[in-house]
């Protein structure tokens, strides 16, 4: 190589390493995606679509948990989704099949959610996946990955926190080495729109496993909480749905076949985008407004079982509660346009 060419080569290399956007991409957020996954119209599946289609995020593994339905259903559906999204190389780890303490009850059976179910998972769209879950457990994968990458891993948890609480309890170094957690869960009564969605004051994910939520929120892990307050600032209507499916990709086809039916039967229906907001807040933290609050969870088996309580100062009984960022406002137009763009783009996995 001539001296001139060598000098030019070195100059371009040095420039590209200091000026963002020339040759190197921004650093990606490395995440473990913990989910009570069910195919669309469920929010977990649309949250995963958004994560898979976003270059800002690198998914190191997906861990499943019982919540919306059984852990077997979560695992079967997420394996199939990865095939549809052409990202079958992402490993999937089966997690907890029941909450730490909470048992099936008549109320649980009557109300939303089939976390206690032991039925065989139904056939997902396009058939059961060829891809299999890893033999390693979700908790083992979480602990190993976090300890091998101290201070680098973000946990995105959009279901009951059973796997995370087990990881915290299994290894005393786990919590100290998690970079950050983004959690969809809870409802904060002192902020607007803070009532519950499964009992008068409890949010579903925290109510399914209150003891796990209590352990996680008190673990010392830096937390960005995405509760119902911010979910309720979203409103997926048929008009927005039609914009999402305006392009033709395997993901939008899946949405047409599943979510589309619901809008056809009930055109005025509105969906909250719970888990999608949690993921979007990782991609672009400025999409949501936060307040720093102490948040704790009631684990007494009374009328407030699973209720999260937030306050600006500690109050009697909440000694030891975690101080965290709590999302309560959403820039809806920017959020929904990000979602439309990412999910409508050609599959990243096919590049
Ligand atoms: O309360 C909302 C949460 O429970 C979301 O994670 C959603 O998936 C539902 O199951
Ligand atoms: Ca969920």
């Amino acid at each position: 190589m001539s001296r001139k060419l060598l000098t030019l080569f070195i100059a371009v290399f040095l420039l590209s390493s200091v000026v963002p956007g020339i040759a190197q991409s921004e650093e990606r957020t490395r995440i473990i995606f913990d989910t009570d996954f069910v195919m669309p119209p469920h929010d977990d599946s649309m949250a995963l679509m958004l994560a898979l289609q976003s270059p800002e995020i690198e998914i190191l593994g997906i861990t499943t948990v019982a919540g919306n339905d059984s852990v077997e259903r979560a695992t079967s559906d997420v394996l199939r989704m990865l095939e549809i999204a052409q990202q079958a190389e992402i490993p999937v780890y089966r997690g907890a099949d029941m909450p730490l303490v909470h048992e099936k009850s008549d109320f649980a059976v009557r109300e939303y959610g089939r976390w206690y179910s032991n039925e065989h998972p139904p056939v997902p769209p396009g058939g059961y996946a060829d891809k299999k879950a890893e033999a390693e457990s979700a908790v083992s994968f979480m602990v190993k990955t976090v300890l091998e990458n101290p201070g680098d891993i973000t946990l995105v948890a959009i279901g009951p926190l059973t796997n995370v609480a087990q990881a915290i309890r299994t290894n005393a170094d786990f919590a100290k080495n998690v970079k950050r957690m983004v959690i969809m869960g809870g409802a904060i009564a002192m902020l607007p729109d803070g009532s519950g969605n499964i009992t008068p004051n409890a949010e579903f994910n925290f109510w399914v496993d209150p003891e796990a939520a209590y352990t996680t929120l008190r673990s010392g892990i830096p937390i960005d909480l995405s509760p119902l307050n911010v979910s309720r600032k979203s409103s997926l209507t048929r008009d927005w749905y039609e914009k999402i499916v305006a392009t033709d990709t395997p993901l939008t086809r899946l949405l047409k076949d599943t979510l589309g039916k619901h809008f056809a039967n009930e055109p005025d229906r509105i969906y909250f985008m719970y888990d999608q907001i949690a993921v979007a807040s990782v991609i672009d933290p400025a999409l949501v407004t936060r307040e720093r609050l102490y948040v704790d969870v009631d684990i007494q088996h009374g009328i407030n079982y699973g209720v999260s309580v937030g306050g600006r100062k500690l109050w009697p009984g909440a000694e030891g509660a975690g101080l965290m960022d709590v999302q309560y406002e959403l820039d809806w137009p920017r959020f929904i346009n990000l979602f439309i763009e990412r999910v409508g783009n050609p599959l990243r996995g096919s590049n």
Side-chain angles (χ1 to χ4, degrees), residues 35-37 43-44 68 158-160 184 205 275:
T35 173
D36 56 336
F37 194 91
D43 55 337
D44 292 74
N68 285 310
I158 56 172
M184 191 287 128
N205 288 340
D275 297 341

Side-chain angles (χ1 to χ4, degrees), residues 28 39 60 128 150 161 166 241 260 291 299 311 327 332:
R28 301 170 77 192
M39 281 287 182
L60 301 182
Y128 291 113
L161 292 163
Q166 283 177 342
Y241 155 77
E291 177 162 356
I299 51 171
Q327 304 178 5
W332 165 255

Side-chain angles (χ1 to χ4, degrees), residues 46 66 69 79 90 105 114 153 162-163 196 218 223 228 243 262 264-265 276 286 315 345:
M46 288 188 257
D69 210 302
L79 289 166
I90 296 176
S105 63
R114 287 166 37 81
I153 305 299
T162 322
N163 293 334
R218 285 174 165 252
I223 291 174
L228 292 180
K243 290 189 169 64
H262 291 265
N265 294 336
Q276 301 94 320
W315 63 97
N345 275 345

Side-chain angles (χ1 to χ4, degrees), residues 92-93 133-137:
V92 174
Y93 302 84
E134 306 298 310
E136 189 178 4
S137 73

